[in-house]
Amino acid sequence: MAACEIGLGNQAILTKIDQLRELNVGTIIPLPQLVVVGDQSSGKSSVLESLTGFSFPRAAGLCTRYATQITCRREPERGVAQLLQFKREIPELNNDDLTKIFEEANNVMGIRMSTTGQEDGRTAFSQDILKIEISGPDVRSSLAPIRLRLTFSLQQDHLTVIDVPGIFRLASPGLTTESDIVLVENMVKSYMSDRRTIILAIMPCNVDVATQEILKLAEVADPCGVRTMGVLTKPDLATEKATRDAVVDLVLGRRSALKLGYHIVKNRSADDHSSTSSERLAAEKAFFTASPWSSVADRCGTTSLKARLQELLMSISKQEMPYVKKDAEQRLLECRNQLDAMGPCRADQTSQRLFMVKLASNFQAITQGALNGYYAGDKVFQMEPNLKLATKIMKLNEVFANVFWKRGHQHHFRSEQNDDGETLFGRAAADLPFAIPILQYPELGDIIDTEDYQCPKPLKGPITARIEEVFESSRGPELGTFGGTILAAIFQEQSEKWEPLVLSHTSRAIALVHDYIFQLLTKLCPENQVKENLWNILIVDKLRDAYRRAMDHARFLLAIERGGRPSTFNHYFNSNLQKQRSNRMCEALKTMAVCFTGNSNEYVPVSKISQYADNKANGEQVCEDILDTLVSYYQVSRKRFVDTICQQVVLHFLLEGEKSPLKIMGPDLVMSLDLEQLESIAGEDVDSKRQRQVLMWEIRSLEAAIKVLRA
């Protein structure tokens, strides 16, 4: 009873696998199966006939042009052979009826049967699968009458095998071509590569196994040899003793790297057209009783091969069943996600506009999170860290400010080369922790500065000498003071590096924003056609206009700050100017200071102070005043200008303003689309429709498969 229960359980597992194949799930996820491979004329058809009891029709060109799935199982009713795709049924298996059905199948699959060599648009082989189901009563059942012992009556347990075309190396003029050789080899490789497939490599005994290409292909697909079994055919053609001994060594495992080993079966002769299955089994059994085959009798004959294959198929089916279920559930989830990402079918104007509105809304929702630094609000930021726009922009502004503070001036102001703020801010990092795609988008080439500007250090030596040169070449009739043009000229020269610094910084910010928009649209538009049309037809020109506005404003601010008359109402200017003068006086008076005994304080006599004032030449005093004024104004202007660039150009024009490029992809844009634009952008192309159909078909098949697996 226990053995019977186990047999029923095995039958249920194999039946489930067959049901999954009927649902075509095997084209989606790999299923446990046996695949028969080998060269043409290696004896594959005879092996299949022995295993299944199914006699392939003997007519030229049949049964070798496509993969054939043969399923044998017991049913309570008398058996039929049914070609499922054509709904053909025949009560008896005879050569003439089968030949007719196979010819019809070849015609439907578009297979070229002519040998005239004329091109008619058909191929010699097909990657379609012909499924043959053979069912019959259990001959061991008490209900099975003796008269049902036909060719297709089942003498073995449930078995499903896949037959693929035999590989060949030379094309036959008028029948096969060089491309057919490649097609068949790729088809065989694809079946062998499935990790849940047991490979039956068919090879004749009268050839050297080491030269068999099918073994080389199997070794690539199954490097460890754990799911490949060698099946040796035509032992009666191995007439030399050395050949027979080599075959026996293979079967005994002495020359084999295959964990499943080798098995030997005897084919019926080419002239045998009338023998029955039982007669061939008896003849095969008698053949293998002779030496040297008797020494490996347990590995000889169809009966033992069938038992071994049933054991292997059952083993791999039991082992892989939980993983098949897991793969089916995982693939179903992926298909549903892909279909959800495609959105609803977009066959009319209403569905197309709804699709675009949803796309725009998702874009704005994610962008709001990217601008606010709220990255926990959408999982897209975990999947695509490059979309953390606020983090990148803040770091970019920080590096810009630091470099501007440390290196933005043309000359050092003091001889100590320790200008105000340099020591403090010079320690900050001047390198970005991420790359900027400044050259990745050619559409920006005529708008931004694509050169990687590296701001040089200030020139050595104080600016005093340069101030004197400008003063001597530009002084006016002023007495004891200087004209505004001198300060403007010195300031403009001292701020020469501001322009490349600002334009480079603005260009980098534009590249970051542009890359963000492109990457986000790529993420939100799984259909390449939607993204490309939306990008090229609608968005790029508007983005370019927005970037031009940002660059123009940066140049406007540069012209105002550097080209106009120096001006400020900031009280920090006067405070700093007084500080500069006080520091200068203190430095000069330190040389005149004296100390009294018992007192650590230093004192400067009044007479010395008057000497300090009297010893200044007119020109020297004016140049010192120019330097003090320049330092004070430069510091005010620098702080004001850096903040203005970051606030107006980057934050307003590029990120948050009403005309920001990030606001372009919004509902207003979608509602403004005319019918032609809407169809061009949101209408589904042929590839998208096909992808949707494939996903829907896979979902239906996988849902049905999971029901089968859970039953």
Side-chain angles (χ1 to χ4, degrees):
M1 179 64 69
C4 180
E5 290 175 354
I6 292 175
L8 291 175
N10 293 350
Q11 181 78 11
I13 291 177
L14 295 178
T15 298
K16 283 188 176 182
I17 297 294
D18 285 339
Q19 288 174 337
L20 297 183
R21 286 197 184 92
E22 293 303 315
L23 295 169
N24 289 315
V25 175
T27 62
I28 306 173
I29 58 175
L31 297 176
Q33 62 186 5
L34 303 174
V35 62
V36 180
V37 296
D39 288 2
Q40 286 186 351
S41 303
S42 62
K44 288 193 307 93
S45 296
S46 294
V47 172
L48 284 166
E49 180 180 348
S50 299
L51 290 174
T52 65
F54 177 72
S55 299
F56 284 94
R58 295 174 178 268
L62 295 182
C63 299
T64 59
R65 306 303 186 90
Y66 37 75
T68 307
Q69 174 188 311
I70 306 173
T71 300
C72 306
R73 61 169 174 256
R74 295 188 179 87
E75 298 290 352
E77 298 179 0
R78 189 164 186 258
V80 297
Q82 179 184 18
L83 282 82
L84 299 179
Q85 294 294 333
F86 304 99
K87 303 299 181 183
R88 305 291 196 270
E89 295 185 8
I90 54 176
E92 304 288 344
L93 295 182
N94 61 73
N95 189 73
D96 292 340
D97 289 343
L98 283 174
T99 298
K100 182 178 180 181
I101 290 177
F102 273 88
E103 287 175 348
E104 292 178 10
N106 289 349
N107 183 60
V108 172
M109 291 186 189
I111 292 177
R112 182 178 67 249
M113 300 303 299
S114 171
T115 59
T116 62
Q118 296 179 352
E119 293 292 338
D120 56 2
R122 295 173 171 242
T123 60
F125 295 89
S126 172
Q127 298 190 63
D128 293 326
I129 301 174
L130 177 65
K131 296 181 179 180
I132 301 174
E133 182 179 304
I134 309 170
S135 59
D138 187 343
V139 296
R140 296 173 297 186
S141 170
S142 60
L143 299 178
I146 298 299
R147 65 181 176 83
L148 289 178
R149 296 181 63 86
L150 303 172
T151 303
F152 64 98
S153 295
L154 299 185
Q155 304 291 336
Q156 72 281 334
D157 289 328
H158 195 134
L159 185 66
T160 296
V161 291
I162 308 292
D163 179 31
V164 294
I167 59 176
F168 59 99
R169 299 160 190 80
L170 298 175
S172 299
L175 186 62
T176 58
T177 64
E178 294 295 331
S179 62
D180 292 329
I181 298 175
V182 176
L183 184 149
V184 170
E185 183 174 332
N186 289 338
M187 188 192 311
V188 172
K189 287 179 179 178
S190 68
Y191 276 93
M192 296 169 69
S193 63
D194 284 347
R195 63 185 184 277
R196 298 186 180 119
T197 292
I198 294 176
I199 304 168
L200 302 183
I202 311 298
M203 295 163 287
C205 287
N206 60 335
V207 299
D208 185 0
V209 172
T211 64
Q212 291 297 289
E213 184 177 355
I214 196 64
L215 279 186
K216 297 177 182 178
L217 297 179
E219 185 177 356
V220 173
D222 178 27
C224 299
V226 295
R227 54 184 182 85
T228 303
M229 174 187 284
V231 179
L232 301 171
T233 63
K234 306 179 182 180
D236 50 320
L237 300 183
T239 57
E240 298 181 357
K241 183 178 183 302
T243 303
R244 293 195 297 269
D245 291 343
V247 171
V248 171
D249 286 345
L250 274 177
V251 176
L252 291 175
R254 295 170 182 165
R255 299 170 49 201
S256 172
L258 303 182
K259 301 297 188 294
L260 300 181
Y262 284 83
H263 204 98
I264 312 174
V265 295
K266 182 180 178 299
N267 307 67
R268 67 162 152 175
S269 66
D271 297 329
D272 183 0
H273 302 291
S274 59
S275 64
T276 65
S277 176
S278 59
E279 290 172 344
R280 289 193 295 273
L281 286 174
E284 182 185 50
K285 183 177 181 180
F287 177 84
F288 285 123
T289 58
S291 178
W293 315 118
S294 57
S295 62
V296 288
D298 61 327
R299 285 280 185 159
C300 294
T302 302
T303 302
S304 60
L305 176 60
K306 284 191 287 191
R308 176 62 173 149
L309 293 182
Q310 289 160 5
E311 176 186 336
L312 290 174
L313 184 59
M314 191 65 248
S315 175
I316 193 173
S317 297
K318 283 184 176 180
Q319 173 187 319
E320 293 293 330
M321 204 62 165
Y323 302 104
V324 169
K325 180 174 178 290
K326 180 180 178 181
D327 288 353
E329 292 173 341
Q330 179 64 32
R331 180 56 188 164
L332 177 60
L333 179 62
E334 292 174 359
C335 290
R336 285 173 174 170
N337 289 339
Q338 292 178 25
L339 192 61
D340 289 343
M342 292 184 69
C345 180
R346 307 188 302 275
D348 54 42
Q349 174 190 349
T350 301
S351 59
Q352 291 168 1
R353 202 173 294 277
L354 285 174
F355 169 79
M356 292 297 296
V357 169
K358 182 179 179 181
L359 176 62
S361 299
N362 289 341
F363 183 94
Q364 289 303 322
I366 294 173
T367 298
Q368 198 60 40
L371 290 176
N372 295 333
Y374 183 60
Y375 304 131
D378 198 299
K379 62 182 179 181
V380 70
F381 296 111
Q382 281 68 50
M383 295 186 294
E384 302 290 341
N386 285 334
L387 295 180
K388 296 180 178 181
L389 184 59
T391 302
K392 288 187 173 184
I393 291 294
M394 291 302 293
K395 186 61 181 178
L396 184 70
N397 283 340
E398 183 181 76
V399 169
F400 168 68
N402 292 335
V403 172
F404 208 100
W405 201 284
K406 182 179 180 181
R407 298 188 173 189
H409 42 290
Q410 184 74 6
H411 298 268
H412 283 291
F413 289 99
R414 306 295 182 188
S415 58
E416 298 85 355
Q417 299 183 12
N418 185 24
D419 299 326
D420 179 51
E422 280 195 31
T423 302
L424 176 63
F425 292 96
R427 293 192 298 268
D431 297 325
L432 291 170
F434 51 83
I436 296 181
I438 200 77
L439 299 175
Q440 185 172 332
Y441 300 98
E443 61 267 23
L444 303 181
D446 61 335
I447 298 176
I448 66 175
D449 286 353
T450 56
E451 293 185 6
D452 185 18
Y453 178 70
Q454 299 294 326
C455 186
K457 293 181 179 180
L459 299 176
K460 294 182 179 180
I463 198 175
T464 308
R466 182 58 185 156
I467 290 176
E468 291 175 354
E469 291 178 11
V470 175
F471 175 71
E472 290 298 332
S473 63
S474 304
R475 64 186 301 178
E478 300 89 0
L479 184 61
T481 184
F482 59 91
T485 57
I486 294 179
L487 179 62
I490 293 294
F491 176 78
Q492 191 172 42
E493 183 175 319
Q494 185 71 338
S495 62
E496 277 185 4
K497 290 185 284 186
W498 286 21
E499 181 169 347
L501 269 172
V502 167
L503 296 182
S504 175
H505 175 64
T506 305
S507 298
R508 291 181 173 191
I510 288 173
L512 284 181
V513 171
H514 195 67
D515 184 65
Y516 167 85
I517 295 172
F518 183 82
Q519 296 299 336
L520 182 54
L521 283 178
T522 300
K523 189 69 179 177
L524 295 178
C525 299
E527 297 179 47
N528 194 51
Q529 170 252 345
V530 174
K531 183 198 71 177
E532 288 189 354
N533 289 343
L534 178 62
W535 184 258
N536 295 321
I537 297 176
L538 200 61
I539 291 184
V540 163
D541 288 340
K542 297 181 183 298
L543 291 177
R544 284 167 52 84
D545 291 341
Y547 301 147
R548 284 195 185 94
R549 289 193 293 269
M551 292 295 289
D552 290 345
H553 192 70
R555 293 187 178 94
F556 168 76
L557 294 176
L558 281 166
I560 293 296
E561 196 69 40
R562 296 187 62 241
R565 183 192 301 272
S567 175
T568 181
F569 297 95
N570 192 327
H571 293 286
Y572 174 74
F573 168 75
N574 186 63
S575 174
N576 199 35
L577 179 59
Q578 298 303 322
K579 180 181 176 182
Q580 294 292 330
R581 291 172 176 173
S582 298
N583 289 341
R584 184 185 301 281
M585 180 176 292
C586 288
E587 290 296 325
L589 292 177
K590 282 182 179 179
T591 61
M592 307 177 186
V594 296
C595 297
F596 295 98
T597 304
N599 194 332
S600 59
N601 293 327
E602 295 181 327
Y603 299 91
V604 179
V606 175
S607 59
K608 294 289 186 180
I609 296 176
S610 61
Q611 291 177 8
Y612 165 77
D614 291 339
N615 291 336
K616 290 290 183 182
N618 290 339
E620 183 180 358
Q621 181 63 55
V622 172
C623 287
E624 285 185 355
D625 290 343
I626 293 174
L627 177 59
D628 291 340
T629 305
L630 175 65
V631 171
S632 301
Y633 181 73
Y634 185 90
Q635 291 174 351
V636 169
S637 177
R638 176 173 58 188
K639 293 178 180 181
R640 173 179 65 195
F641 188 62
V642 168
D643 283 347
T644 300
I645 291 295
C646 293
Q647 185 178 43
Q648 295 188 19
V649 177
V650 178
L651 296 182
H652 178 76
F653 276 88
L654 293 180
L655 300 184
E656 299 176 351
E658 287 299 321
K659 295 184 178 181
S660 158
L662 297 176
K663 300 289 181 66
I664 290 175
M665 186 58 195
D668 292 343
L669 179 67
V670 174
M671 300 310 295
S672 67
L673 296 176
D674 58 37
L675 296 182
E676 182 178 352
Q677 290 175 319
L678 193 62
E679 175 63 31
S680 176
I681 295 171
E684 287 187 317
D685 58 12
V686 175
D687 290 339
S688 299
K689 292 177 181 177
R690 184 180 298 111
Q691 182 185 8
R692 184 184 297 278
Q693 291 172 352
V694 169
L695 287 173
M696 293 175 67
W697 172 81
E698 287 194 16
I699 289 172
R700 288 194 298 269
S701 298
L702 289 168
E703 287 175 342
I706 291 173
K707 289 182 180 179
V708 170
L709 291 167
R710 290 174 178 172

